[in-house]
Amino acid sequence: MKKLSKISMVLGLMVILSACGSQSSKDGALSITSNQGTSFNPVSSGTGNVYGLPLAPETMAYLTGSTGSKPTFTATASTSMKMRVKITAMSAVHDTVQTNWTHPYGCMRVKVSVNGIVQQTAILRVDGLTDSNCASAPTSQILDFTGYMTGSGQPVTVVISDAEYDNCRYSDPSAYGGAQCGMKPLYYSHQASFKVAYQVDGYYME
Protein backbone atom coordinates (compact mmCIF):
# COMPACT_ATOMS: atom_id res chain seq x y z
CA MET A 1 0.00 0.00 0.00
CA LYS A 2 2.87 2.32 0.89
CA LYS A 3 4.62 1.46 -2.39
CA LEU A 4 1.48 2.31 -4.41
CA SER A 5 1.12 5.59 -2.56
CA LYS A 6 4.74 6.53 -3.37
CA ILE A 7 4.26 5.72 -7.06
CA SER A 8 1.14 7.91 -7.17
CA MET A 9 3.05 10.74 -5.54
CA VAL A 10 5.92 10.53 -8.06
CA LEU A 11 3.51 10.44 -11.01
CA GLY A 12 1.63 13.45 -9.65
CA LEU A 13 4.88 15.38 -9.22
CA MET A 14 5.92 14.55 -12.81
CA VAL A 15 2.63 15.89 -14.14
CA ILE A 16 3.02 19.14 -12.17
CA LEU A 17 6.63 19.62 -13.36
CA SER A 18 5.78 18.94 -16.99
CA ALA A 19 2.96 21.48 -16.81
CA CYS A 20 5.33 24.09 -15.38
CA GLY A 21 7.78 23.61 -18.20
CA SER A 22 5.26 23.53 -21.00
CA GLN A 23 4.44 26.32 -23.41
CA SER A 24 1.11 27.18 -24.93
CA SER A 25 0.72 26.41 -28.63
CA LYS A 26 0.97 30.14 -29.37
CA ASP A 27 4.35 30.60 -27.66
CA GLY A 28 7.28 30.69 -30.05
CA ALA A 29 5.05 31.01 -33.13
CA LEU A 30 6.96 33.31 -35.46
CA SER A 31 5.32 35.04 -38.38
CA ILE A 32 7.36 37.97 -39.63
CA THR A 33 6.17 40.07 -42.53
CA SER A 34 7.94 43.14 -43.82
CA ASN A 35 6.88 46.10 -45.93
CA GLN A 36 8.49 48.99 -47.77
CA GLY A 37 10.07 46.63 -50.30
CA THR A 38 12.47 45.04 -47.83
CA SER A 39 13.72 41.58 -48.72
CA PHE A 40 13.09 38.84 -46.16
CA ASN A 41 15.71 36.12 -45.89
CA PRO A 42 15.25 34.27 -42.60
CA VAL A 43 18.16 32.34 -41.13
CA SER A 44 16.88 30.01 -38.44
CA SER A 45 18.90 26.81 -38.88
CA GLY A 46 21.42 25.52 -36.39
CA THR A 47 21.61 25.52 -32.61
CA GLY A 48 24.29 26.64 -30.21
CA ASN A 49 22.79 26.64 -26.76
CA VAL A 50 22.19 24.18 -23.96
CA TYR A 51 18.44 23.99 -24.65
CA GLY A 52 18.84 23.09 -28.34
CA LEU A 53 16.60 25.98 -29.43
CA PRO A 54 16.62 27.22 -33.04
CA LEU A 55 18.56 30.39 -33.80
CA ALA A 56 16.45 33.56 -33.94
CA PRO A 57 15.44 34.42 -37.52
CA GLU A 58 17.29 37.30 -39.15
CA THR A 59 16.57 39.47 -42.16
CA MET A 60 18.15 42.35 -44.04
CA ALA A 61 16.37 45.70 -43.81
CA TYR A 62 16.83 49.01 -45.61
CA LEU A 63 15.78 52.52 -44.59
CA THR A 64 15.82 55.85 -46.38
CA GLY A 65 15.24 59.32 -44.97
CA SER A 66 11.78 60.12 -43.61
CA THR A 67 10.50 61.47 -46.95
CA GLY A 68 12.04 58.69 -49.01
CA SER A 69 10.60 55.44 -50.33
CA LYS A 70 11.49 53.29 -47.29
CA PRO A 71 11.22 55.42 -44.13
CA THR A 72 10.11 52.49 -41.94
CA PHE A 73 10.52 48.73 -41.68
CA THR A 74 7.61 46.83 -40.10
CA ALA A 75 7.34 43.24 -38.88
CA THR A 76 5.03 41.17 -36.68
CA ALA A 77 5.84 38.30 -34.36
CA SER A 78 3.77 36.26 -31.90
CA THR A 79 5.21 35.83 -28.42
CA SER A 80 4.06 35.56 -24.82
CA MET A 81 7.10 36.66 -22.83
CA LYS A 82 10.35 37.02 -24.77
CA MET A 83 10.90 39.88 -27.23
CA ARG A 84 14.43 41.01 -28.11
CA VAL A 85 15.51 42.78 -31.30
CA LYS A 86 19.11 42.74 -32.51
CA ILE A 87 20.33 45.41 -34.95
CA THR A 88 23.63 44.92 -36.83
CA ALA A 89 24.99 47.79 -38.92
CA MET A 90 25.76 46.98 -42.57
CA SER A 91 27.38 48.91 -45.42
CA ALA A 92 25.52 51.52 -47.46
CA VAL A 93 23.63 50.40 -50.56
CA HIS A 94 22.74 52.28 -53.76
CA ASP A 95 20.90 55.59 -53.77
CA THR A 96 17.20 55.08 -54.55
CA VAL A 97 17.23 57.75 -57.28
CA GLN A 98 20.70 57.45 -58.81
CA THR A 99 21.03 53.68 -58.61
CA ASN A 100 24.67 53.62 -59.69
CA TRP A 101 25.69 55.82 -56.75
CA THR A 102 26.46 54.80 -53.18
CA HIS A 103 26.69 57.32 -50.35
CA PRO A 104 28.79 55.60 -47.68
CA TYR A 105 28.78 55.90 -43.91
CA GLY A 106 30.80 54.37 -41.10
CA CYS A 107 28.29 54.87 -38.26
CA MET A 108 24.52 54.50 -38.03
CA ARG A 109 21.67 54.19 -35.54
CA VAL A 110 17.90 53.58 -35.65
CA LYS A 111 14.83 53.68 -33.41
CA VAL A 112 12.94 50.47 -32.67
CA SER A 113 9.32 50.51 -31.54
CA VAL A 114 7.55 47.41 -30.19
CA ASN A 115 3.84 47.95 -29.63
CA GLY A 116 4.53 51.65 -29.12
CA ILE A 117 7.47 51.26 -26.71
CA VAL A 118 10.44 53.04 -28.34
CA GLN A 119 14.15 52.44 -27.82
CA GLN A 120 17.03 53.88 -29.85
CA THR A 121 20.19 51.94 -30.56
CA ALA A 122 23.55 53.33 -29.61
CA ILE A 123 25.71 54.56 -32.49
CA LEU A 124 26.75 51.38 -34.32
CA ARG A 125 29.86 50.91 -36.47
CA VAL A 126 29.86 49.21 -39.86
CA ASP A 127 32.16 46.20 -39.45
CA GLY A 128 35.51 46.61 -41.20
CA LEU A 129 35.31 50.41 -41.40
CA THR A 130 37.63 52.34 -39.11
CA ASP A 131 37.73 55.71 -40.89
CA SER A 132 34.67 57.03 -39.09
CA ASN A 133 33.74 59.00 -35.99
CA CYS A 134 32.70 55.84 -34.11
CA ALA A 135 35.78 53.64 -34.51
CA SER A 136 35.35 52.13 -31.03
CA ALA A 137 31.56 51.63 -31.24
CA PRO A 138 29.98 48.13 -31.29
CA THR A 139 28.76 46.72 -34.61
CA SER A 140 25.47 45.46 -33.15
CA GLN A 141 23.12 45.91 -30.20
CA ILE A 142 20.28 43.91 -28.67
CA LEU A 143 17.26 45.91 -27.47
CA ASP A 144 15.18 44.04 -24.89
CA PHE A 145 11.40 44.57 -24.83
CA THR A 146 10.62 41.46 -22.76
CA GLY A 147 9.40 43.48 -19.78
CA TYR A 148 6.61 44.98 -21.90
CA MET A 149 5.09 41.70 -23.13
CA THR A 150 1.60 40.75 -21.94
CA GLY A 151 2.04 36.99 -21.61
CA SER A 152 -0.94 36.44 -23.91
CA GLY A 153 0.87 35.19 -27.02
CA GLN A 154 -0.70 37.91 -29.14
CA PRO A 155 1.12 39.32 -32.20
CA VAL A 156 3.39 42.27 -31.52
CA THR A 157 4.32 44.91 -34.09
CA VAL A 158 7.94 45.93 -34.56
CA VAL A 159 8.63 49.21 -36.39
CA ILE A 160 12.15 50.42 -37.17
CA SER A 161 12.60 54.04 -38.28
CA ASP A 162 14.52 57.32 -37.88
CA ALA A 163 17.78 56.10 -39.40
CA GLU A 164 20.79 58.35 -38.87
CA TYR A 165 24.33 58.15 -40.29
CA ASP A 166 27.65 60.03 -40.39
CA ASN A 167 27.65 60.72 -44.14
CA CYS A 168 29.15 64.12 -45.08
CA ARG A 169 26.32 64.95 -47.45
CA TYR A 170 26.49 68.72 -46.79
CA SER A 171 30.11 68.89 -47.94
CA ASP A 172 30.91 65.64 -49.79
CA PRO A 173 28.19 62.96 -50.17
CA SER A 174 30.84 60.41 -51.18
CA ALA A 175 32.63 60.69 -47.84
CA TYR A 176 32.00 59.96 -44.17
CA GLY A 177 33.67 60.24 -40.78
CA GLY A 178 35.49 63.09 -39.12
CA ALA A 179 34.24 65.88 -36.87
CA GLN A 180 32.36 67.59 -39.72
CA CYS A 181 30.32 64.46 -40.37
CA GLY A 182 28.39 64.01 -37.14
CA MET A 183 25.23 61.91 -36.88
CA LYS A 184 22.35 63.29 -38.95
CA PRO A 185 19.07 61.96 -40.45
CA LEU A 186 19.40 60.12 -43.75
CA TYR A 187 18.82 62.07 -46.93
CA TYR A 188 15.58 61.00 -48.63
CA SER A 189 17.30 59.05 -51.43
CA HIS A 190 20.16 57.55 -49.39
CA GLN A 191 19.81 54.10 -47.86
CA ALA A 192 21.03 52.58 -44.62
CA SER A 193 21.16 48.80 -44.44
CA PHE A 194 21.22 46.58 -41.37
CA LYS A 195 20.38 43.09 -40.18
CA VAL A 196 17.43 42.58 -37.85
CA ALA A 197 17.12 39.45 -35.69
CA TYR A 198 14.05 38.68 -33.56
CA GLN A 199 14.10 36.54 -30.44
CA VAL A 200 10.65 35.43 -29.33
CA ASP A 201 9.56 32.49 -27.16
CA GLY A 202 11.21 29.25 -28.20
CA TYR A 203 14.18 30.83 -30.03
CA TYR A 204 17.80 31.53 -29.14
CA MET A 205 19.90 34.65 -29.77
CA GLU A 206 23.62 35.17 -29.25
Side-chain angles (χ1 to χ4, degrees):
M1 193 71 175
K2 274 189 181 176
K3 188 184 269 186
L4 189 58
S5 181
K6 279 184 183 176
I7 291 170
S8 300
M9 230 163 100
V10 169
L11 287 173
L13 189 57
M14 284 171 70
V15 168
I16 290 167
L17 288 173
S18 66
C20 289
S22 67
Q23 291 181 314
S24 76
S25 60
K26 288 188 284 190
D27 292 351
L30 188 65
S31 175
I32 299 173
T33 57
S34 56
N35 64 9
Q36 302 296 345
T38 304
S39 62
F40 176 48
N41 301 298
V43 179
S44 58
S45 60
T47 58
N49 61 97
V50 294
Y51 301 108
L53 299 174
L55 191 61
E58 187 175 70
T59 185
M60 282 295 298
Y62 308 92
L63 290 182
T64 60
S66 60
T67 59
S69 59
K70 294 187 276 284
T72 61
F73 170 85
T74 304
T76 59
S78 296
T79 187
S80 288
M81 300 300 294
K82 183 72 70 177
M83 188 68 219
R84 298 165 82 219
V85 180
K86 181 179 181 180
I87 305 291
T88 304
M90 303 297 288
S91 299
V93 291
H94 283 162
D95 189 298
T96 59
V97 176
Q98 303 176 77
T99 56
N100 58 335
W101 288 91
T102 299
H103 301 289
Y105 53 83
C107 318
M108 64 163 291
R109 66 183 168 196
V110 294
K111 286 182 181 176
V112 180
S113 168
V114 175
N115 281 3
I117 303 298
V118 181
Q119 296 186 41
Q120 184 177 47
T121 67
I123 295 174
L124 303 176
R125 174 178 54 86
V126 176
D127 194 22
L129 298 183
T130 55
D131 183 22
S132 65
N133 60 13
C134 63
S136 60
T139 57
S140 65
Q141 183 179 3
I142 296 174
L143 301 177
D144 196 343
F145 295 88
T146 299
Y148 301 103
M149 296 299 99
T150 63
S152 63
Q154 295 300 309
V156 296
T157 302
V158 180
V159 180
I160 304 173
S161 63
D162 297 272
E164 296 182 344
Y165 61 175
D166 67 336
N167 180 270
C168 303
R169 74 165 189 257
Y170 297 121
S171 54
D172 181 3
S174 297
Y176 62 90
Q180 77 279 14
C181 306
M183 300 301 290
K184 60 181 70 69
L186 258 70
Y187 189 57
Y188 84 97
S189 64
H190 296 183
Q191 290 193 86
S193 65
F194 49 97
K195 288 181 182 177
V196 188
Y198 308 85
Q199 184 188 12
V200 295
D201 298 335
Y203 285 82
Y204 155 76
M205 181 186 285
E206 294 178 328

